[in-house]
Amino acid sequence: MARREKKPVHKVVMTEGKRQIIQQLLQEYDIETAEDIQDALKDLLGGTIKEMMEAEIFLYYHAIAIIK
């Protein structure tokens, strides 16, 4: 059996700007647990994800209408 080639691990460079954003999130959302992080991400990204899904549905139904 052939060995699969390992993919390199993506390493994120922690810049000062990223460090400041993280500190602001920790303070703004009073993050202490993993659940706090999940809630903060839902709050921050919930509207964006909803808009993306609505756009996807819109395109899907229009594509079907064109095909018919």
Side-chain angles (χ1 to χ4, degrees):
M1 181 185 257
R3 293 180 77 188
R4 282 199 267 168
E5 187 177 320
K6 288 186 179 181
K7 294 181 180 180
V9 177
H10 176 72
K11 297 191 180 197
V12 177
V13 177
M14 183 59 70
T15 64
E16 188 57 35
K18 290 177 185 176
R19 209 177 304 281
Q20 289 175 358
I21 291 170
I22 291 169
Q23 285 300 319
Q24 288 174 334
L25 287 171
L26 291 171
Q27 291 171 356
E28 180 70 26
Y29 289 95
D30 192 29
I31 294 174
E32 294 180 358
T33 66
E35 187 176 352
D36 294 340
I37 293 171
Q38 288 177 333
D39 292 341
L41 290 173
K42 285 178 191 174
D43 182 53
L44 290 168
L45 301 174
T48 302
I49 292 170
K50 181 180 178 221
E51 288 174 11
M52 290 169 58
M53 290 178 70
E54 288 172 349
E56 195 71 28
I57 291 168
F58 176 83
L59 292 173
Y60 173 79
Y61 283 111
H62 280 75
I64 288 179
I66 291 170
I67 292 171
K68 287 183 177 183

